[in-house]
Amino acid sequence: MRSLHLYSRLVAAATFVLIIAGGLVTSTGSGLSVPDWPLSYGKFFPPMIGGIRFEHTHRVIAAGVGLLTLFLLFYLLRAEKRSWVKWLGGLAVAAVLVQAILGALTVKYLLPMPISVLHACLAQSFFSLIAAIALFTSPEWLTTERISVEDAPKLKRLAVLTVGFIFIQLILGALVRHSGNMKAVSAHIVVGFLVVLHALLLNGRISQADGIREKLTGHSLFLGSLALAQIFMGLGSFIYTHRLEPSEVPRLAEVLFTTGHQSTGALILVTCVLLTLRLFRLTAHD
Amino acid sequence: MRPKSLFSAALFSLLMTFAIGSAQAAVTGKALFEGAAPAAEKIKVDADPKCKMMHPAGLEASSVIVNSNGTLKNVFVYVKEGAQGKFETPKESVVFDQVGCEYKPKVFGIQVNQTLEILNSDDTLHNVHSLPTQSQGFNLGMPIKGMKLKKSFSKPEVMVKIKCEVHPWMAAYAGVLDHPFYSVTDDEGKFEIKNLPPGNYVLEAWHEKYGAQTQNMTVAEGEQETSFTFKP
């Protein structure tokens, strides 16, 4: 079982690398540098020049994550006893297939905004799903005793609410990135502050909750730190994309800020989803 | 009125109509640039070794080219309002080349449904991605030197951006119109719109960086001059 858990973590790590690669494609404006799909200029390996370096690398990593996910499903079917966890493996494979179709549609229909937004949101949802599978197969999930925590329902509600805000923020972020709409930018900033506020509030409540403090404070501190770092990344991205004169080629700092902002966002979502799941697992039913 | 006078009047009217109908004008002028010319952004082309070989020191951004006589190059000047009638689609193609990892021409006019002949004169691959909002866009891979493709735009639109995502510095603009009254400023900032019937028109001058400005103009037979002034 431990090897299954470690393998799930590997798939989650590979998915995070894929999310960074996808972010680089958008940040460098390389999304349509390869006009055909699934081959690239009719080849498995086109010349790795200019924007093709980002787009083709993204495709190769995506294919790798797809295979890793398929193997994860086989591993779960073979080694996992809980049928709902096996179903989650199946759901992950289905998500990979849908994501591949969305990727193909972005190429065929020249980056239609709704498809690009869906592609971005599904990517991070898939990352959360794989990370959750890794948690469900972890020794902590399988062996931990439930703890009675005062105000546990309130704490759980706060955690779920925070996940909800982060998911809304993910949709808004994808809209900002793929449409540049100023209303979406304003909403993204407002919801961003709500996310930070709730992440810090959750961190504060967990650090005061007897019984789970020792187990979850590190996790919630990480979430709070990511949320604070995200303000800095968001500010940098905003300055480069909405305040400075556009440059002929994407600036390195602009690429780093926007990709970093998107990838940190993915980490925040996964961190909060895992924290919420752990909270539900650790606290006793009331 | 006697029949003879009536006939003379009708003949006179017919001749006048013909004379006015066939009278033609030309609008010429310059796109002037006011202020200090901005320093051109230096673009590294290292992302493609073949582009790097052609431009070891990199390229200079071509979005703003101020000519030595203080005029602006690549301004698209066209009749925005007032062109009447149906105009035939020219048989000849507009040639649009990818050479030296740059688009040539950078700004051009083309009529609706006129053939755009896209060439790749580079020994490297390019993609040609058009971004119209009125017509169907296209994204074509052109991996082979000497490759030619033909495309067209089905609706008028000023301007349609064309870009290469392999080489992000490559961008061009097409002014798609349903009439032939357009011109692009040259190395001396000059433009010339020929064969324009006398009448009242709205002229627009568009620049990639400095936007668009319009002028109302009453055009009489012969050549008329005007100018547009762009400021940073």
Side-chain angles (χ1 to χ4, degrees):
Chain A
M1 222 25 205
R2 182 158 176 78
S3 60
L4 176 59
H5 168 63
L6 289 176
Y7 180 72
S8 308
R9 287 174 72 149
L10 171 76
V11 182
T15 306
F16 186 55
V17 173
L18 177 58
I19 283 176
I20 296 171
L24 285 170
V25 169
T26 308
S27 299
T28 56
S30 310
L32 291 175
S33 60
V34 181
D36 50 343
W37 189 96
L39 293 176
S40 301
Y41 288 90
K43 297 175 179 174
F44 281 105
F45 282 97
M48 293 298 267
I49 55 169
I52 301 171
R53 293 171 302 171
F54 300 103
E55 172 61 17
H56 191 69
T57 304
H58 178 55
R59 289 185 184 192
V60 169
I61 299 172
V65 169
L67 287 174
L68 287 173
T69 309
L70 193 63
F71 189 69
L72 176 64
L73 174 62
F74 292 144
Y75 208 158
L76 286 168
L77 290 174
R78 199 179 156 85
E80 176 59 51
K81 288 195 180 81
R82 295 162 295 175
S83 64
W84 62 273
V85 181
K86 291 179 188 178
W87 275 107
L88 289 181
L91 186 64
V93 170
V96 164
L97 291 175
V98 172
Q99 191 69 335
I101 291 167
L102 291 176
L105 291 176
T106 60
V107 173
K108 183 164 171 51
Y109 294 104
L110 311 181
L111 289 180
M113 192 269 284
I115 303 285
S116 300
V117 169
L118 206 59
H119 189 64
C121 293
L122 183 58
Q124 298 203 14
S125 305
F126 173 77
F127 182 30
S128 303
L129 176 61
I130 296 293
I133 291 173
L135 176 67
F136 298 145
T137 53
S138 68
E140 179 192 274
W141 190 272
L142 295 168
T143 59
T144 301
E145 298 273 317
R146 289 188 186 274
I147 307 158
S148 183
V149 179
E150 200 182 341
D151 280 344
K154 270 189 182 172
L155 204 53
K156 288 177 188 171
R157 270 202 299 276
L158 178 63
V160 171
L161 187 67
T162 310
V163 169
F165 277 131
I166 294 169
F167 200 79
I168 292 169
Q169 184 66 340
L170 160 63
I171 297 168
L172 289 171
L175 277 171
V176 168
R177 211 149 148 73
H178 296 286
S179 75
N181 183 299
M182 279 315 286
K183 282 182 186 166
V185 173
S186 307
H188 189 57
I189 292 169
V190 172
V191 178
F193 278 106
L194 285 175
V195 167
V196 173
L197 189 72
H198 281 76
L200 295 177
L201 199 62
L202 188 61
N203 183 44
R205 292 268 173 86
I206 285 173
S207 66
Q208 289 165 2
D210 289 334
I212 54 163
R213 185 192 302 138
E214 299 77 14
K215 286 185 182 287
L216 296 183
T217 297
H219 195 148
S220 69
L221 259 179
F222 183 59
L223 174 66
S225 311
L226 283 175
L228 289 174
Q230 187 69 329
I231 297 176
F232 171 70
M233 302 299 283
L235 195 63
S237 302
F238 180 74
I239 289 169
Y240 273 100
T241 54
H242 288 86
R243 283 288 168 265
L244 295 182
E245 283 261 313
S247 64
E248 298 276 329
V249 291
R251 290 164 283 228
L252 178 64
E254 180 180 342
V255 171
L256 292 178
F257 267 118
T258 50
T259 309
H261 188 52
Q262 176 229 262
S263 308
T264 308
L267 270 186
I268 289 174
L269 176 67
V270 165
T271 305
C272 198
V273 165
L274 294 183
L275 180 63
T276 306
L277 290 171
R278 288 182 73 201
L279 192 61
F280 272 77
R281 174 67 184 87
L282 290 171
T283 52
H285 299 300
D286 296 295
Chain B
M1 195 180 274
R2 285 184 301 179
K4 198 176 173 185
S5 306
L6 197 65
F7 176 75
S8 302
L11 186 65
F12 179 75
S13 302
L14 192 71
L15 285 172
M16 283 306 289
T17 307
F18 180 74
I20 290 168
S22 62
Q24 288 185 336
V27 178
T28 61
K30 285 183 177 178
L32 305 168
F33 185 78
E34 207 173 274
E41 186 186 330
K42 274 273 177 195
I43 299 165
K44 282 187 178 179
V45 295
D46 309 31
D48 184 338
K50 287 182 178 164
C51 298
K52 169 92 173 155
M53 225 155 66
M54 287 185 271
H55 306 282
L59 277 167
E60 283 197 346
S62 56
S63 54
V64 178
I65 298 176
V66 178
N67 299 314
S68 54
N69 63 352
T71 57
L72 201 53
K73 193 180 174 180
N74 288 332
V75 176
F76 184 71
V77 186
Y78 71 105
V79 170
K80 187 177 185 180
E81 288 171 28
Q84 284 166 2
K86 276 207 152 194
F87 300 92
E88 264 189 42
T89 304
K91 299 267 186 301
E92 63 275 18
S93 308
V94 172
V95 177
F96 179 63
D97 201 359
Q98 299 156 99
V99 54
C101 297
E102 289 184 282
Y103 284 131
K104 285 184 182 163
K106 164 103 179 155
V107 177
F108 62 93
I110 186 167
Q111 275 183 247
V112 169
N113 294 327
Q114 187 176 3
T115 303
L116 177 68
E117 188 171 293
I118 309 166
L119 311 180
N120 180 11
S121 298
D122 280 336
D123 186 23
T124 189
L125 61 76
H126 293 286
N127 76 296
V128 189
H129 177 199
S130 72
L131 297 102
T133 56
Q134 308 298 317
S135 312
Q136 182 71 41
F138 55 80
N139 186 27
L140 310 165
M142 299 190 73
I144 301 159
K145 184 179 181 179
M147 200 171 171
K148 284 182 190 175
L149 291 168
K150 289 179 179 178
K151 281 280 163 188
S152 61
F153 301 99
S154 61
K155 298 265 170 59
E157 186 173 347
V158 175
M159 305 291 287
V160 174
K161 187 174 183 178
I162 299 171
K163 64 178 187 173
C164 172
E165 274 94 357
V166 179
H167 309 101
W169 61 85
M170 287 176 71
Y173 295 87
V176 185
L177 294 167
D178 52 11
H179 60 71
F181 308 122
Y182 52 81
S183 178
V184 178
T185 57
D186 58 15
D187 291 335
E188 292 178 347
K190 287 182 185 167
F191 67 86
E192 183 179 21
I193 299 174
K194 291 187 285 192
N195 304 326
L196 194 60
N200 294 319
Y201 296 100
V202 177
L203 253 60
E204 183 165 270
W206 173 96
H207 185 263
E208 177 184 350
K209 186 144 183 163
Y210 301 123
Q213 43 184 279
T214 54
Q215 271 181 23
N216 291 314
M217 218 174 163
T218 300
V219 176
E221 195 177 351
E223 191 171 307
Q224 269 180 270
E225 269 196 34
T226 187
S227 67
F228 293 90
T229 304
F230 289 87
K231 295 174 190 172

